[in-house]
Amino acid sequence: MPVVQQNGLSFHTQAFGAGPPAVMLHGLLIGSMTTWYFGAAPRLARSHRVLLYDLRGHGKSARARRGYDLATMVRDLDALLGDFTDEPATLVGHSYGALTALRFAMLHPERVARLVLVEAPLPPLRLPELDHFLRRPRGEMESALPDEIRHALRRGGRQALRLVDQLAFLAAESSLLADLDAEPEIGDDELAALACPLLAIYGNRSSCRPAGDRLRRVVPGAQLVLLPGGHFLPTEAAEALTHEIVRFCAGDVDG
């Protein structure tokens, strides 16, 4: 799997499939490109050329101690997308990856064909699903993780150890918490200016649900789909989520 140098860091990337370009971004902390690689990416790759990458500080990308603000994450996406394609791309993101995709689309509308936001929080960023383990001591983090992640950790192996180390690093040795706390709000006027087709997917039990209602209300033509589950839909509702992503990316804007 290629390692790409951008913005002074090494990024672990994977590209596969054929067709119009699409980039899939995972969420913070417990996410990596495997969120999509073992989820919706293979199905989307039947009709699209798909790029996955580990965000800075995650997976096998470099452990950056700073730069988790949206402006820096957007610059990472900008650089990696520029290497991947010159065409407008579909962006699919989960959680903070979705928020990064949203901000990118605001800044670079000519480079985004479609936008799929899965459980995108809108600043101010307060996610009880993450906060309840993020601020715990390292030895207590695992017990507070979502069931699916905790069960995976119990199976052990290098991936489980890497995730535990990643969590501890991001929570205690990086600027991630401070960057999230400092992220400014996004105004309705900024959201209303979005021009590309947008699909917002949220869990019906998620604390982020009001953000989905706001996107549908403010963004012209935005679709909102609710799935059974909370914030971690790529594991909680994998098949239904994949269906909605593939449907929308195939051009079924009206559902």
Side-chain angles (χ1 to χ4, degrees), residues 1 3 10-12 32 54-55 58-62 162 166:
M1 296 184 182
V3 173
S10 60
F11 289 89
H12 178 220
S32 71
D54 288 330
L55 302 179
H58 292 72
K60 296 181 181 179
S61 288
R162 185 182 300 119
Q166 174 178 297

Side-chain angles (χ1 to χ4, degrees), residues 75-188:
R75 286 196 293 272
D76 292 343
L77 173 57
D78 186 19
L80 292 165
L81 180 60
D83 280 348
F84 180 59
T85 183
D86 294 328
E87 302 175 45
T90 293
L91 302 183
V92 180
H94 173 241
S95 193
Y96 201 68
L99 186 54
T100 300
L102 173 62
R103 178 58 81 183
F104 183 91
M106 292 174 174
L107 294 173
H108 306 286
E110 74 287 353
R111 299 183 65 192
V112 180
R114 291 173 183 271
L115 194 56
V116 181
L117 307 179
V118 181
E119 278 290 308
L122 294 176
L125 298 172
R126 298 291 182 269
L127 291 175
E129 294 93 338
L130 299 181
D131 283 346
H132 79 293
F133 67 83
L134 180 58
R135 300 176 192 274
R136 294 189 179 204
R138 175 170 177 162
E140 298 179 12
M141 282 183 174
E142 180 180 341
S143 63
L145 290 170
D147 289 343
E148 297 86 352
I149 305 298
R150 193 168 64 252
H151 294 158
L153 287 177
R154 287 174 179 169
R155 291 194 293 268
R158 285 180 297 176
Q159 186 174 353
L161 292 174
R162 185 182 300 119
L163 177 57
V164 172
D165 286 343
Q166 174 178 297
L167 279 170
F169 168 79
L170 290 169
E173 300 181 46
S174 81
S175 66
L176 187 145
L177 286 174
D179 290 344
L180 296 187
D181 288 343
E183 199 61 48
E185 293 190 37
I186 297 175
D188 282 355

Side-chain angles (χ1 to χ4, degrees), residues 45-67:
R46 297 175 188 175
S47 58
H48 289 70
R49 176 73 170 160
V50 176
L51 172 67
L52 307 178
Y53 70 95
D54 288 330
L55 302 179
R56 60 172 55 217
H58 292 72
K60 296 181 181 179
S61 288
R63 285 196 170 182
R65 293 188 178 273
R66 59 185 58 85

